[in-house]
Amino acid sequence: MKVNVDQGRCCGAGQCVLIAPEVFDQRDEDGIVTLLEPSPAEGLQAAAREAAAVCPASAITIEGDQ
């Protein structure tokens, strides 16, 4: 699995950080998402997929299964 974020689309809602804090964080100055783990371990993949699904700006995309 490969996680991608489009910081230009991010609206700073923070749902991704609440769902998968090991994978995502937010910049202090503006709340825009930052990617901590572009290739999350198997135990974090379900949370990363959920974060992508609930992102209101569709700023998170997931590629591949592993």
Side-chain angles (χ1 to χ4, degrees), residues 21-52:
E22 301 89 352
V23 180
F24 305 100
D25 199 359
Q26 289 178 283
R27 296 189 306 217
D28 289 335
E29 62 272 10
D30 57 9
I32 299 299
V33 66
T34 59
L35 184 58
L36 299 176
E37 187 55 62
S39 297
E42 189 173 327
L44 300 175
Q45 291 181 7
R49 287 187 191 283
E50 182 181 350

